[in-house]
Amino acid sequence: MLGGKKVVLGVTGSIAAYKAADIAGQLVRHGVEVHVVMTRAAREFISALTLETITGNPVNTEMFSGRPGAGTLAHLDLARMADLLLVAPATANVIGKVAAGLADDLLSTLVLAFRGPVLFCPAMNPGMYGNPLVQRNIEALRAAGYHFCGPETGRVACGEEGRGRLAGVEAILDRVRALVSTERDLDGSTVLVTAGPTREPLDPVRYLTNRSSGRMGYAVARAARDRGARVVLVSGPTVLPAPDGVELIPVVTAAEMAAAVKRYFPESDVLVMAAAVADYRPATVAQEKMKKGVGRLTLELVPNEDILSYAGRTKRPGQVVVGFAAETGDPRTHALEKARRKGADLMVGNDITLPGAGFDVETNEVVLVFPDGRTVPLPRMDKYQLACRLLDEIRIIRGEVSGA
Ligand code: CTP
């Protein structure tokens, strides 16, 4: 969780510096105490006042404030209090300076003095990023334990196409979350998660699928990773970026998902089946594109294997299996019936017709349903928060903590 953490945000002189306002704003929104350090060049691109207003804290720009008794040790104070130092955007210049061990302004001094995790988010012209000298510096920093997020490929501010765009704010936040998380209560566990829809092909251009976005499963994967688990994420087709530090197994069909789950389930402590697995697939897949005929077309579908039932049937003592039941209307009865029929230790039921609980939204509102009939309705919350709540529940089922 990000709430209560302290982050020093170093902003350097890239045209992407204006995006630091968004990054700072998102961090603050997640309850992070943000202290900004700007280089002189950064102040050409974005005003300190903007970042001061967003963070509610004075922006640090100089090594020596000039005010008697105040700020002369700012770099040491900031280095002592921060959980993470985030340099976003990071220019080739700051990367080069730190790689060379130079400290000629407040930010570079702070980076060298800081003992915690440092995350660089490079943003620069693609030509610069591709320069072997810049690459060498990045490699040197990586080897020394510094972290990097991005850059992404796309159109950069100067109009060129290529790799050099600042990583998206969501990706940056996700890395920050992973780096500051100190709760390692899943250390040593393997968590297998499925996410997204499956696609069942009809012919080379058409398929049957559903509206699952994969967000819930990806949130479970990120939360389990942040708490120290080894995470295997079996994902149907989604548009979501691959979470760092997670073994991603991309699949397309339900049969491929079943095979991947069977491969990893024996070595897993927990299976969370957040995927919306297609219940049926076309009986035959046409090799050539199907041609339109006259009148109606009837498709013959055959059932797919139920992966959750397989896991429920074959689980060893101590393995926990969690399923999801997305229903239209009160999910309790269906979720309980599914928990019992499929051998799940917990079903997460939701009514997809509620606002903020369906597909493609960042929040979910669910009821936990246990096979003994116990139900626990939860308020609407962010999917990552819900993922943390589910992991707490899984630890209780495993007997690692008491549920009192
Ligand atoms: N599931 C599965 N394999 C399938 C279908 C579903 O593992 N072939 C899992 C889902 O990942 C989910 C749970 O079973 O965790 C419930 O899925 P759902 O589609 O609601 O269950 P069904 O038994 O298919 O019920 P319904 O008739 O409502 O579709």
Side-chain angles (χ1 to χ4, degrees):
M1 287 300 217
L2 286 171
K5 300 289 178 189
K6 297 187 176 75
V7 168
V8 170
L9 172 61
V11 184
T12 67
S14 152
I15 179 77
Y18 75 93
K19 295 183 182 166
D22 191 18
I23 297 168
Q26 291 287 345
L27 287 169
V28 169
R29 208 171 62 82
H30 283 83
V32 176
E33 184 180 319
V34 181
H35 295 268
V36 174
V37 172
M38 297 176 85
T39 62
R40 198 160 289 175
R43 280 176 279 151
E44 302 287 335
F45 290 98
I46 178 172
S47 89
L49 185 60
T50 303
L51 293 168
E52 259 177 25
T53 310
I54 291 171
T55 63
N57 288 314
V59 165
N60 305 273
T61 51
E62 301 296 335
M63 277 285 271
F64 307 103
S65 71
R67 276 176 286 140
T72 47
L73 287 177
H75 57 293
L76 294 181
D77 295 342
L78 289 168
R80 263 194 288 269
M81 50 70 76
D83 295 298
L84 174 107
L85 211 164
L86 169 66
V87 187
T91 54
N93 187 51
V94 74
I95 289 168
K97 270 203 298 203
V98 178
L102 293 177
D104 66 350
D105 62 4
L106 178 58
L107 181 60
S108 50
T109 306
L110 192 55
V111 175
L112 289 193
F114 189 53
R115 293 208 177 90
V118 178
L119 175 61
F120 286 101
C121 305
M124 64 193 79
N125 163 278
M128 279 171 98
Y129 184 71
N131 186 307
L133 295 173
V134 174
Q135 286 302 314
R136 186 195 64 190
N137 290 337
I138 290 175
E139 277 322 303
L141 288 178
R142 274 190 206 280
Y146 289 90
H147 303 274
F148 282 82
C149 179
E152 289 176 354
T153 302
R155 198 179 158 82
V156 295
C158 57
E160 247 179 76
E161 280 291 327
R163 187 152 185 217
R165 262 166 70 104
L166 183 68
V169 63
E170 273 307 318
I172 295 174
L173 238 63
D174 190 35
R175 283 305 294 279
V176 170
R177 199 180 268 131
L179 289 169
V180 299
S181 101
T182 45
E183 200 182 6
R184 315 290 292 178
D185 58 359
L186 295 175
D187 239 337
S189 307
T190 297
V191 176
L192 175 59
V193 185
T194 65
T198 64
R199 260 184 206 170
E200 310 300 325
L202 268 170
D203 72 8
V205 292
R206 302 180 179 94
Y207 51 78
L208 301 178
T209 191
N210 58 65
R211 286 181 52 202
S212 168
S213 67
R215 285 180 208 286
M216 191 61 235
Y218 275 56
V220 173
R222 290 188 283 118
R225 170 206 64 195
D226 292 348
R227 287 165 68 162
R230 168 192 173 218
V231 179
V232 180
L233 173 61
V234 177
S235 175
T238 74
V239 296
L240 304 175
D244 270 309
V246 161
E247 294 168 49
L248 180 69
I249 315 290
V251 296
V252 177
T253 63
E256 287 171 15
M257 186 169 278
V261 169
K262 288 177 182 178
R263 154 79 182 78
Y264 288 98
F265 185 56
E267 63 197 67
S268 300
D269 301 289
V270 176
L271 167 65
V272 180
M273 280 293 307
V277 187
D279 287 329
Y280 295 94
R281 66 178 182 278
T284 52
V285 182
Q287 294 307 308
E288 307 283 335
K289 184 180 170 203
M290 287 164 64
K291 287 294 167 199
K292 183 169 60 185
V294 184
R296 294 183 182 198
L297 168 70
T298 305
L299 291 174
E300 191 187 352
L301 304 178
V302 292
N304 281 324
E305 178 179 2
D306 195 298
I307 308 170
L308 185 59
S309 299
Y310 163 84
R313 247 187 354 259
T314 61
K315 70 182 179 199
R316 298 186 308 271
Q319 272 184 316
V320 173
V321 170
V322 178
F324 278 72
E327 312 288 347
T328 44
D330 187 343
R332 267 173 278 213
T333 315
H334 289 302
L336 179 59
E337 183 276 317
K338 284 176 190 177
R340 289 179 176 164
R341 171 162 49 93
K342 299 188 185 209
D345 301 287
L346 165 62
M347 282 305 269
V348 184
N350 69 333
D351 175 356
I352 53 166
T353 62
L354 291 180
F359 301 108
D360 241 331
V361 288
E362 296 295 345
T363 53
N364 208 346
E365 187 174 332
V366 305
V367 54
L368 306 182
V369 179
F370 297 87
D372 62 5
R374 196 162 56 92
T375 60
V376 180
L378 299 179
R380 184 188 311 173
M381 60 179 100
D382 181 87
K383 284 183 175 169
Y384 183 87
Q385 244 181 319
L386 174 59
C388 290
R389 184 73 174 73
L390 294 181
L391 293 170
D392 291 344
E393 214 57 56
I394 288 166
R395 290 197 66 218
I396 295 169
I397 297 171
R398 293 186 73 197
E400 289 166 358
V401 282
S402 99

